[in-house]
Amino acid sequence: MTSPAPLLRLATLATALALVVAGCTPVDDPTADPSSTVTPAPGASEPMDDDGDDDAPDAGAGSSGDAAQAGAYVEYRDGIIEETAGSKALFFHAPWCPQCRALEESILSGEIPDDLTIIKVDFDTATGLRQQYGVTIQTTIVFVDDDGAALATEVLYSDTTLDALVAAAP
């Protein structure tokens, strides 16, 4: 029987090639240009409730019954679209993508308009949502109505700023 090492190397090279074609390099890629690497904003692992009120209920991931507050950046969960008032933007984010990390840093450091909730969707695991909205590349923003129907779609791969996201709103 032959060793699985050649197949593993081939699979690794195929994955790396796919990432290069997509315009991204893995986070731990030693050949990546360090000047293009973006580190997560301080507190990025904390709940993404942007209202600054520590006494308010957390609208981030893990809260199963509360609607997200407008003007917030929250994790996707079942039911959040229907429960959230105001404009909603689904941000298809991949943690290994430098452009996604740059856009997230801009969102976390900026001021989200009060009438907008940005909902972070994991690009790698939310395959059903990706298919539903026709998302084929990370950094895609899909603006949805209260029923989850797509209103507009924008890929923010070249302009990874909160301003670009807000400007793309329908």
Side-chain angles (χ1 to χ4, degrees):
M1 185 155 101
T2 61
S3 167
L7 291 176
L8 182 59
R9 281 194 294 270
L10 181 60
T12 302
L13 287 172
T15 302
L17 179 60
L19 290 173
V20 169
V21 169
C24 288
T25 55
V27 174
D28 58 347
D29 184 355
T31 63
D33 177 8
S35 65
S36 68
T37 302
V38 178
T39 56
S45 62
E46 299 172 9
M48 293 183 281
D49 185 356
D50 195 28
D51 65 5
D53 182 2
D54 292 335
D55 297 329
D58 179 16
S63 60
S64 58
D66 298 329
Q69 298 172 358
Y73 180 48
V74 298
E75 296 276 347
Y76 177 83
R77 62 177 169 75
D78 287 339
I80 196 165
I81 293 171
E82 297 82 9
E83 297 167 4
T84 303
S87 299
K88 293 165 276 294
L90 301 177
F91 168 26
F92 286 85
H93 175 282
W96 46 262
C97 171
Q99 287 81 4
C100 294
R101 293 192 318 261
L103 179 54
E104 182 170 55
E105 185 175 314
S106 180
I107 291 167
L108 291 171
S109 65
E111 191 167 321
I112 301 170
D114 288 338
D115 64 337
L116 175 64
T117 300
I118 302 169
I119 302 169
K120 179 180 175 181
V121 179
D122 187 300
F123 180 85
D124 295 321
T125 61
T127 54
L129 282 177
R130 284 186 15 224
Q131 289 174 345
Q132 178 181 345
Y133 294 110
V135 173
T136 59
I137 187 170
Q138 63 282 355
T139 68
T140 299
I141 306 298
V142 180
F143 293 92
V144 296
D145 67 14
D146 292 340
D147 296 321
L151 301 172
T153 301
E154 186 74 29
V155 177
L156 297 180
Y157 200 79
S158 349
D159 188 355
T160 56
T161 64
L162 175 59
D163 290 340
L165 189 153
V166 171

